[in-house]
Amino acid sequence: AQKITQTQPGMFVQEKEAVTLDCTYDTSDPSYGLFWYKQPSSGEMIFLIYQGSYDQQNATEGRYSLNFQKARKSANLVISASQLGDSAMYFCAIGNAGNNRKLIWGLGTSLAVNP
Amino acid sequence: SAVISQKPSRDICQRGTSLTIQCQVDSQVTMMFWYRQQPGQSLTLIATANQGSEATYESGFVIDKFPISRPNLTFSTLTVSNMSPEDSSIYLCSGRQGTEGYTFGSGTRLTVV
């Protein structure tokens, strides 16, 4: 069975600073994908970044990067130059390879960006 | 990536009634996933819907309570039946196309009174 652990219920960061949101996972599957989503107070789920287990490079998407440490089974999200609009819930999820596999979700981290 | 239109965006319903939530995708997706998110909680998968076959329900969810329709690769509905206040949640549909992230509908905020 797969499992995601997000140990930070809440985080604070000053505007323009970087912040790391932790995510560790457990899986026995050799091929899997890791996802990060942002959920603002409006409730929509916004896809941020994806890392495949066989990807050699850490994924990056604009101000988002994923610090993927496969041996430690961690997939931390790094947000650089935080903005007030980054205040939201952030969820980490894991799924098997392929397009039609369900995701297992962490409990989320609430990020507040202070001006 | 696919764009999913979900409606209604919110509703307030009387206990004992049913609500059907619709998700329309702008392109074909093989599987659609239906989630429930209770206040302040993470996402819980209700069921996975494939075209032309009965949905696969997760533990704790049954077809009589959450019937799902998937008539084609661009449309799905979830019905919340015989509602009680405990069903008050956000309901989300999701699908994936290609190798990008799973796309979500904008969610349905359901309040049962």
Side-chain angles (χ1 to χ4, degrees):
Chain A
Q2 296 178 318
K3 183 179 179 180
I4 289 283
T5 302
Q6 293 180 257
T7 58
Q8 306 156 314
M11 290 282 288
F12 293 90
V13 65
Q14 284 298 122
E15 193 178 7
K16 301 181 183 178
E17 293 187 349
V19 63
T20 297
L21 306 184
D22 294 341
C23 173
T24 58
Y25 62 92
D26 192 18
T27 181
S28 57
D29 296 305
S31 182
Y32 52 90
L34 294 152
F35 302 79
W36 276 94
Y37 281 83
K38 171 185 178 181
Q39 187 179 41
S41 57
S42 58
E44 60 188 307
M45 293 291 289
I46 302 169
F47 168 67
L48 296 179
I49 198 166
Y50 168 79
Q51 179 84 43
S53 57
Y54 291 122
D55 292 343
Q56 296 298 314
Q57 304 281 346
N58 284 349
T60 61
E61 288 287 347
R63 294 187 298 111
Y64 303 107
S65 61
L66 203 152
N67 183 4
F68 182 47
Q69 298 186 42
K70 194 171 182 177
R72 298 180 60 183
K73 294 189 175 181
S74 74
N76 299 337
L77 177 70
V78 181
I79 305 174
S80 62
S82 297
Q83 302 172 357
L84 295 179
D86 294 334
S87 295
M89 283 291 293
Y90 289 81
F91 292 97
C92 180
I94 187 171
N96 289 339
N99 291 341
N100 302 316
R101 302 294 184 259
K102 64 183 180 183
L103 296 180
I104 306 300
W105 296 82
L107 296 180
T109 296
S110 176
L111 177 66
V113 180
N114 296 324
Chain B
S1 56
V3 176
I4 302 178
S5 300
Q6 182 174 347
K7 61 181 182 182
S9 59
R10 60 178 66 233
D11 208 341
I12 301 174
C13 300
Q14 297 290 323
R15 67 179 66 198
T17 63
S18 299
L19 176 71
T20 295
I21 302 167
Q22 299 181 5
C23 282
Q24 179 75 53
V25 192
D26 69 345
S27 55
Q28 294 182 343
V29 294
T30 306
M31 291 284 197
M32 288 200 69
F33 304 88
W34 284 96
Y35 291 92
R36 181 175 73 183
Q37 187 179 26
Q38 295 179 305
Q41 303 294 316
S42 185
L43 279 71
T44 300
L45 183 65
I46 297 172
T48 303
N50 199 358
Q51 181 199 8
S53 62
E54 198 168 278
T56 301
Y57 288 82
E58 297 297 305
S59 176
F61 297 96
V62 295
I63 188 171
D64 290 345
K65 175 67 175 177
F66 297 100
I68 288 173
S69 167
R70 187 85 202 277
N72 56 56
L73 293 177
T74 63
F75 188 76
S76 183
T77 67
L78 168 77
T79 299
V80 186
S81 303
N82 188 25
M83 288 183 285
S84 66
E86 292 70 36
D87 294 320
S88 297
S89 291
I90 297 175
Y91 292 85
L92 295 141
C93 60
S94 176
R96 189 187 194 193
Q97 187 185 51
T99 58
E100 293 298 316
Y102 291 73
T103 304
F104 283 79
S106 54
T108 298
R109 289 180 182 268
L110 171 63
T111 302
V112 183
V113 296

